[in-house]
Amino acid sequence: MNCSYCTREKTPHDMSEETLINACDLAFSKGKSAGLSFFGGEPMLKKLLIIKAIEYCKEKEMQTGKKFKCKMTTNGSLLDKDFISYAKMSGLEIAISYDGTAQDICRKFANGSNSNAVIEEKAKLLLSYMPDSYVMLTLAPNACKELYNSVKHLYDIGFRKISATPAYGKNVNWTDKEAYILESELKKTAKFYSDVFKKDIRLFFAPFDSKISSCIKGTSPKDHCQLGIRQMTVTTDGKLYPCTQFIGKDAFCLGDVVNGVDTEKQYALSLIDTTPAECKECDLKDRCTNSCSCANIMETGELNRISPMQCTYERTLIKTCDDMAERLYSEYPEQFRKRFT
């Protein structure tokens, strides 16, 4: 595909089987569990290699006694019954990137043709085998007016786990006009979410559920990251980076799958305070993604500098969630406690 907001550099490089096996071994080298996440580009271009990795790791799981989990993010275009059946049998979680009614605005095939009709059928196929699958939609400035329609459409075709994230990076340009539209769309989506909640239907919509739950439980988005510690990105040539947005930046290369992790660089990275200076006195600092180094790198080029758009979005999202949560709790206190505590 050739998505207009994508920040990935298209390359012809493939990961070798040797590099993949070394990556699997590294995943099992420490800790009480191991996990792989397949992404790209488009991971389904190498589906036989994915299967080989899973089978190899299943053997490692039996040998080591360490629990193994795996997941994949795909644009869905190459999904088929055989692979989905294998994924269900092997425990591979599949998340599909699909923008719903906004799909054809930004997510075109490489030849420029529309992709919605194809991907919607693939999404329905995935749900028929794995109804608990995630769908991930990206909010581009020129498509943000479709947020409510997209969420409702994805719900209507059967998704109950939906994630929505603004598009960041050099290929998008958010203005005050789009930020205002996005605020309106978030309110409309909150009304839809509330209506579903009142019917006692379980709908997980990541921006809303995450903000409400973290506020109640006293957790912060920064608790889930642990840059360069909790997980690592392995490139096609076997180099290790703390996250996808750091690929190619030599200063953030943390080793490779053959020689292992450069623990000194890893430790030095863990000491960096990624909370922007201008955010430290903000009352919302512990509820905001201001410390997300990936988003900051994409938007400002720096680990600890947030963009105006990200700040605006987070403030709008938090207010929308707080207003909605207050209404839901006042009307349905027991149901609210059951859902979020």
Side-chain angles (χ1 to χ4, degrees):
M1 300 184 87
N2 188 25
C3 306
S4 60
Y5 49 67
C6 183
T7 59
R8 296 276 184 268
E9 180 184 354
K10 303 292 191 301
T11 71
H13 303 304
D14 297 327
M15 181 178 286
S16 68
E17 182 177 331
E18 180 183 7
T19 296
L20 180 64
I21 296 303
N22 285 333
C24 294
D25 288 338
L26 184 62
F28 275 88
S29 64
K30 291 184 179 181
K32 298 179 180 179
S33 61
L36 295 180
S37 179
F38 303 100
F39 66 96
E42 175 47 47
M44 284 292 291
L45 289 166
K46 291 291 179 180
K47 65 180 180 180
L48 295 181
L49 209 56
I50 292 173
I51 294 172
K52 184 176 287 291
I54 293 174
E55 294 303 309
Y56 180 79
C57 287
K58 290 288 186 182
E59 293 180 7
K60 296 278 289 186
E61 183 179 44
M62 293 180 64
Q63 294 168 3
T64 63
K66 294 184 179 183
K67 185 71 175 177
F68 169 68
K69 292 185 178 181
C70 52
K71 56 186 178 180
M72 176 182 74
T73 300
T74 173
N75 65 30
S77 60
L78 300 177
L79 287 175
D80 55 49
K81 292 181 180 179
D82 289 342
F83 186 86
I84 297 174
S85 296
Y86 172 79
K88 182 176 182 179
M89 179 271 296
S90 63
L92 171 65
E93 297 180 16
I94 297 178
I96 186 169
S97 294
Y98 176 36
D99 290 352
T101 58
Q103 179 79 3
D104 286 340
I105 299 176
C106 299
R107 297 181 67 84
K108 305 281 188 178
F109 283 122
N111 63 6
S113 63
N114 289 336
S115 64
N116 181 64
V118 173
I119 305 306
E120 181 171 329
E121 287 305 308
K122 299 287 188 174
K124 291 177 179 177
L125 177 65
L126 174 63
L127 287 170
S128 69
Y129 284 82
M130 303 171 69
D132 209 31
S133 295
Y134 273 91
V135 61
M136 305 165 68
L137 68 95
T138 301
L139 307 171
N142 59 329
C144 67
K145 64 183 183 296
E146 289 295 317
L147 172 59
Y148 161 73
N149 288 333
S150 291
V151 171
K152 185 177 185 305
H153 177 71
L154 295 171
Y155 176 87
D156 287 343
I157 66 175
F159 284 105
R160 294 296 180 267
K161 292 182 178 179
I162 304 172
S163 171
T165 308
Y168 292 124
K170 60 183 179 181
N171 293 329
V172 298
N173 180 36
W174 287 93
T175 67
D176 289 346
K177 177 182 177 181
E178 283 93 18
Y180 178 79
I181 293 172
L182 183 54
E183 179 180 8
S184 175
E185 288 293 307
L186 282 170
K187 291 179 180 178
K188 288 163 62 177
T189 306
K191 173 65 166 59
F192 172 74
Y193 179 95
S194 298
D195 290 342
V196 174
F197 178 92
K198 292 172 184 178
K199 296 176 184 177
D200 204 17
I201 298 174
R202 184 68 170 107
L203 168 63
F204 179 85
F205 183 56
F208 294 169
D209 284 71
S210 300
K211 289 300 183 189
I212 296 172
S213 295
S214 62
C215 179
I216 292 172
K217 297 176 181 177
T219 59
S220 170
K222 67 181 65 176
D223 297 335
H224 306 294
C225 182
Q226 297 177 302
L227 189 65
I229 302 293
R230 186 167 175 261
Q231 62 185 26
M232 290 190 185
T233 294
V234 183
T235 59
T236 53
D237 59 358
K239 291 181 179 178
L240 303 172
Y241 291 89
C243 203
T244 59
Q245 300 306 325
F246 295 89
I247 291 175
K249 301 180 186 299
D250 292 341
F252 296 100
C253 181
L254 299 178
D256 59 67
V257 295
V258 175
N259 299 299
V261 180
D262 185 329
T263 54
E264 290 187 5
K265 290 184 70 173
Q266 184 185 43
Y267 178 68
L269 183 63
S270 71
L271 295 178
I272 297 176
D273 182 2
T274 57
T275 301
E278 63 268 34
C279 299
K280 291 185 183 295
E281 300 303 317
C282 178
D283 290 340
L284 302 178
K285 66 179 182 298
D286 292 326
R287 300 185 61 195
C288 171
T289 59
N290 58 71
S291 63
C292 178
S293 300
C294 287
N296 291 345
I297 283 283
M298 279 193 291
E299 282 287 274
T300 66
E302 298 179 26
L303 283 175
N304 50 9
R305 185 159 69 90
I306 193 172
S307 71
M309 167 54 197
Q310 192 178 350
C311 179
T312 299
Y313 171 71
E314 287 290 321
R315 287 178 178 275
T316 302
L317 176 61
I318 291 170
K319 185 179 188 309
T320 301
C321 290
D322 287 356
D323 290 346
M324 178 177 61
E326 185 174 355
R327 289 193 300 271
L328 291 177
Y329 179 71
S330 64
E331 295 179 32
Y332 304 90
E334 292 305 316
Q335 188 176 325
F336 186 90
R337 291 190 189 98
K338 182 179 178 182
R339 174 73 63 87
F340 296 111
T341 60

